[in-house]
Amino acid sequence: MSASFDGFPVAALDFYDDLEVDNTKAFWEKHKAVYDEAVKAPMSALCAALEPEFGSAKIFRPYRDVRFAKDKTPYKTHQGAFVRVGEATGWYVEVSPRGIRTGAGFYEASGPRLAAFRQAVAHDRFGPGLERVLATLEKQGFEIGGDRLKTSPRGYDADHPRIELLRHRSLTAGHPLGFEPVIHTPELLELVRTDWQRLRPLVDWVAEHVRV
């Protein structure tokens, strides 16, 4: 049986605070037990509790891929988990020095998938439907983000009524829960569950339209 979820201990946030200051193999090896007990174990328990409703989550590796990066620090300063429902599409939860954050959407789109996204945004029914979904999420406290072009995408007029959405190359909605005391308690599970339920219309829209 999976361990029950009891929240993320204060030690998880302290661990990442310290890792940002000393991102070295020596620090990691000395404090790996803290990572395993205060970060990885609670994240695994949280994902297991959410799995029956949302699906199996991937808990990301803590190691950075530094082969082509200017920043050669070896470890990520956050721990994320992702439930995939489509290519680069799904739900997300993260613990970091900034606390807990939930989110969903799509974080990357190939040329054909990006074209499909823009066609759906420009559609007279699908585009307004996405606008309504995002407006509701904003009212619920979510921050709409994603990588965007500074100019209009090729083939679309600058005065298109949804030009701001058409500029997106990725589209996400995130909700920072921060350092609220509840993140250290079992009640965090229901906050994440509620956020993911609220994000389902966005996930469903993307899964339906951002595909080829």
Side-chain angles (χ1 to χ4, degrees):
M1 294 180 64
S2 300
S4 61
F5 178 69
D6 297 319
F8 286 95
V10 173
L13 277 61
D14 290 344
F15 171 80
Y16 281 118
D17 275 333
D18 293 338
L19 183 62
E20 284 195 330
V21 175
D22 186 9
N23 196 321
T24 63
K25 184 177 180 181
F27 173 88
W28 182 268
E29 290 181 344
K30 184 177 180 179
H31 298 87
K32 187 175 183 301
V34 178
Y35 167 79
D36 288 338
E37 296 169 11
V39 177
K40 187 176 180 180
M43 183 64 81
S44 298
L46 175 63
C47 292
L50 293 166
E51 182 173 351
E53 183 173 353
F54 299 97
S56 178
K58 174 183 179 180
I59 299 176
F60 292 110
R61 287 163 48 88
Y63 313 105
R64 297 182 63 247
D65 183 352
V66 300
R67 290 174 297 173
F68 307 107
K70 291 182 180 179
D71 178 3
K72 298 299 183 180
T73 52
Y75 304 103
K76 298 174 183 176
T77 54
H78 62 275
Q79 177 64 69
F82 182 70
V83 176
R84 182 186 184 278
V85 299
E87 187 65 30
T89 300
W91 288 278
Y92 183 72
V93 62
E94 174 187 286
V95 58
S96 77
R98 285 151 290 285
I100 306 296
R101 182 169 66 91
T102 64
F106 73 97
Y107 60 85
E108 181 277 334
S110 62
R113 291 177 60 245
L114 187 55
F117 167 72
R118 288 177 176 152
Q119 289 172 6
V121 170
H123 191 278
D124 289 341
R125 180 161 58 91
F126 304 143
L130 177 59
E131 286 184 309
R132 289 191 293 272
V133 168
L134 297 177
T136 297
L137 289 172
E138 285 186 300
K139 290 178 181 178
Q140 293 170 336
F142 289 89
E143 301 168 350
I144 307 304
D147 184 34
R148 300 184 353 155
L149 293 172
K150 293 182 180 180
T151 59
S152 303
R154 186 175 303 171
Y156 295 94
D157 293 333
D159 60 354
H160 190 285
R162 288 180 292 283
I163 191 59
E164 294 304 319
L165 274 176
L166 288 166
R167 289 188 175 123
H168 277 264
R169 291 185 289 199
S170 61
L171 180 63
T172 60
H175 186 202
L177 300 174
F179 306 106
E180 293 296 325
V182 69
I183 72 173
H184 306 304
T185 74
E187 283 70 36
L188 176 60
L189 169 61
E190 291 310 313
L191 293 185
V192 177
R193 189 194 309 277
T194 298
D195 275 1
W196 281 12
Q197 289 171 340
R198 289 171 172 170
L199 287 160
R200 187 179 291 278
L202 174 60
V203 172
D204 289 347
W205 192 98
V206 173
E208 179 178 357
H209 297 291
V210 188
R211 59 188 175 88
V212 291

